[in-house]
Amino acid sequence: MSAGPTCVGVLGATGQQGGSVLRALVEQGTSVVAITRNPESEKAKALAGMAGVEVRKADLDDQASLEAAFTGCDGAFVVANFWEGMDVTKEMNQYENCAKALKAVGGMKHIVMTTLEETATHPKMEDAKVITTHPSGEMKVPHFDGKNRSHKFFEGLPVTFLYTSCFLENFGSFFTMYKQADETYQFTLPLGDGPIAWTILSDVGKMTVGILRRPELIGQTLGSASLHCSGAELAAHLSTATGKTIKYQAVPWKAFAEFGFPGADELAQMFKFFTDTQEEFLGIRDLKRCEELGGPLGDPVATFQSVALQFA
């Protein structure tokens, strides 16, 4: 196993994925350039106080600022945030800016980009609606398709693409548990009856470090997951973590798409992709392989206990 890059530029360092990668790198003794739009934020100031971390300002919409931020780095972690504005064209432009900056800086040993599958052309998605008509083609789950179609920008760079999966920590943001008349709580998602892949954010960090230390993985596409579990199993983990009785209510994906909140149709078709491509989706997120990359996988109960879960 190679020692990997000696200094890694981490995009989104004050965010969820970038933050997990930064912490894992620091634990391994790797120097980090924490790249953020706002170095004056409290989160950025906290990072600046960590040994081995230098905070630099850059904006994904500004290639020149990215070049300055990555200067002196020989590794990079690349992520953008579709959900900030839900503009897939902007997200793809940001990935292109990042790739151009990394090529201009040069000297990269290894880059990891977290990403997702192409959905629009998958045969299991024929009955899903087109959500976005984009110059690159129709999109059925734009926050998947835009990332996947951005891979082309990184051609010629030493990159490994890491497919993520739904984060357990999303129960502190996207997913809410509602109190029922019998004093139990319920969450409603179109997960079907079988397992899907879930990821604990700290495992993304550890897997990224493991990838960066393996140059033989350059050019490969891998998957990340911490557990494969059904909605009912997820409810059991939540119940254990909280001491409350929490139940899973299944709903068809088309019904979920009509719930009306921003992005409901996008999330509905995302879950359809999870469930309808289950064997393929879980296969690339093989748990044994994930553990080989990042070490012991996180505990879902402990994760739920560390998150400010949403109850209503």
Side-chain angles (χ1 to χ4, degrees), residues 168 171 177-178 180 182-187 227 229-249 299-305 307 309-311:
L168 286 187
F171 277 88
M177 289 160 285
Y178 293 91
Q180 307 297 299
D182 61 359
E183 301 299 314
T184 65
Y185 288 84
Q186 177 179 289
F187 65 93
L227 66 160
C229 73
S230 66
E233 291 168 333
L234 199 62
H237 290 314
L238 284 161
S239 296
T240 301
T242 62
K244 306 176 188 291
T245 299
I246 298 175
K247 300 176 182 179
Y248 160 59
Q249 175 63 50
D299 175 19
V301 171
T303 299
F304 285 137
Q305 289 174 335
V307 172
L309 300 171
Q310 291 196 139
F311 292 95

Side-chain angles (χ1 to χ4, degrees), residues 82-160:
F82 167 85
W83 296 104
E84 184 180 83
M86 297 175 61
D87 183 340
V88 71
T89 298
K90 181 176 181 178
E91 182 188 33
M92 291 179 70
N93 288 340
Q94 290 177 339
Y95 282 122
E96 185 173 16
N97 288 338
C98 182
K100 287 180 176 178
L102 290 167
K103 291 174 181 178
V105 169
M108 287 289 146
K109 291 181 179 178
H110 204 159
I111 299 161
V112 174
M113 172 184 168
T114 51
T115 182
L116 290 159
E117 289 94 332
E118 167 73 39
T119 67
T121 58
H122 199 289
K124 295 285 189 179
M125 296 293 284
E126 286 184 359
D127 57 338
K129 75 174 185 179
V130 173
I131 291 178
T132 299
T133 300
H134 188 267
S136 66
E138 295 177 341
M139 295 183 174
K140 295 188 174 180
V141 186
H143 77 280
F144 275 54
D145 300 330
K147 290 176 179 62
N148 198 274
R149 296 178 197 181
S150 296
H151 292 186
K152 63 184 180 182
F153 303 135
F154 292 84
E155 290 177 3
L157 288 166
V159 62
T160 300

Side-chain angles (χ1 to χ4, degrees), residues 5-312:
T6 58
C7 181
V8 179
V10 176
L11 291 174
T14 60
Q16 288 189 317
Q17 292 187 51
S20 73
V21 171
L22 180 147
R23 289 187 290 273
L25 287 165
V26 169
E27 287 175 6
Q28 294 296 316
T30 303
S31 296
V32 176
V33 171
I35 302 172
T36 178
R37 287 176 301 180
N38 183 12
E40 299 305 313
S41 72
E42 292 304 314
K43 288 183 177 180
K45 289 178 180 178
L47 296 181
M50 296 174 65
V53 177
E54 177 187 354
V55 176
R56 294 181 186 172
K57 181 178 181 178
D59 192 312
L60 282 167
D61 296 319
D62 181 354
Q63 181 185 329
S65 73
L66 291 167
E67 291 179 21
F70 281 120
T71 296
C73 298
D74 58 355
F77 174 73
V78 175
V79 66
N81 184 9
F82 167 85
W83 296 104
E84 184 180 83
M86 297 175 61
D87 183 340
V88 71
T89 298
K90 181 176 181 178
E91 182 188 33
M92 291 179 70
N93 288 340
Q94 290 177 339
Y95 282 122
E96 185 173 16
N97 288 338
C98 182
K100 287 180 176 178
L102 290 167
K103 291 174 181 178
V105 169
M108 287 289 146
K109 291 181 179 178
H110 204 159
I111 299 161
V112 174
M113 172 184 168
T114 51
T115 182
L116 290 159
E117 289 94 332
E118 167 73 39
T119 67
T121 58
H122 199 289
K124 295 285 189 179
M125 296 293 284
E126 286 184 359
D127 57 338
K129 75 174 185 179
V130 173
I131 291 178
T132 299
T133 300
H134 188 267
S136 66
E138 295 177 341
M139 295 183 174
K140 295 188 174 180
V141 186
H143 77 280
F144 275 54
D145 300 330
K147 290 176 179 62
N148 198 274
R149 296 178 197 181
S150 296
H151 292 186
K152 63 184 180 182
F153 303 135
F154 292 84
E155 290 177 3
L157 288 166
V159 62
T160 300
F161 298 110
L162 180 63
Y163 285 162
T164 57
S165 51
C166 204
F167 297 119
L168 286 187
E169 287 85 352
N170 286 343
F171 277 88
S173 54
F174 281 100
F175 310 137
T176 300
M177 289 160 285
Y178 293 91
K179 194 171 187 177
Q180 307 297 299
D182 61 359
E183 301 299 314
T184 65
Y185 288 84
Q186 177 179 289
F187 65 93
T188 302
L189 290 172
L191 306 179
D193 297 322
I196 68 168
W198 295 85
T199 299
I200 295 168
L201 281 163
S202 60
D203 288 335
V204 174
K206 293 188 294 182
M207 283 183 240
T208 297
V209 171
I211 293 167
L212 288 170
R213 298 175 69 183
R214 292 169 171 82
E216 67 272 17
L217 297 179
I218 290 171
Q220 294 191 31
T221 299
L222 309 171
S224 69
S226 304
L227 66 160
H228 299 167
C229 73
S230 66
E233 291 168 333
L234 199 62
H237 290 314
L238 284 161
S239 296
T240 301
T242 62
K244 306 176 188 291
T245 299
I246 298 175
K247 300 176 182 179
Y248 160 59
Q249 175 63 50
V251 63
W253 68 270
K254 287 186 177 180
F256 189 88
E258 299 300 322
F259 279 8
F261 62 85
D265 52 355
E266 171 120 3
L267 290 177
Q269 295 192 170
M270 174 190 78
F271 284 116
K272 171 183 167 56
F273 185 78
F274 289 169
T275 57
D276 288 5
T277 69
Q278 183 184 85
E279 183 176 352
E280 176 185 344
F281 192 83
L282 297 182
I284 197 168
R285 294 163 175 83
D286 177 75
L287 296 180
K288 182 178 179 180
R289 180 58 168 150
C290 291
E291 199 159 29
E292 288 173 355
L293 290 172
L297 300 173
D299 175 19
V301 171
T303 299
F304 285 137
Q305 289 174 335
S306 72
V307 172
L309 300 171
Q310 291 196 139
F311 292 95

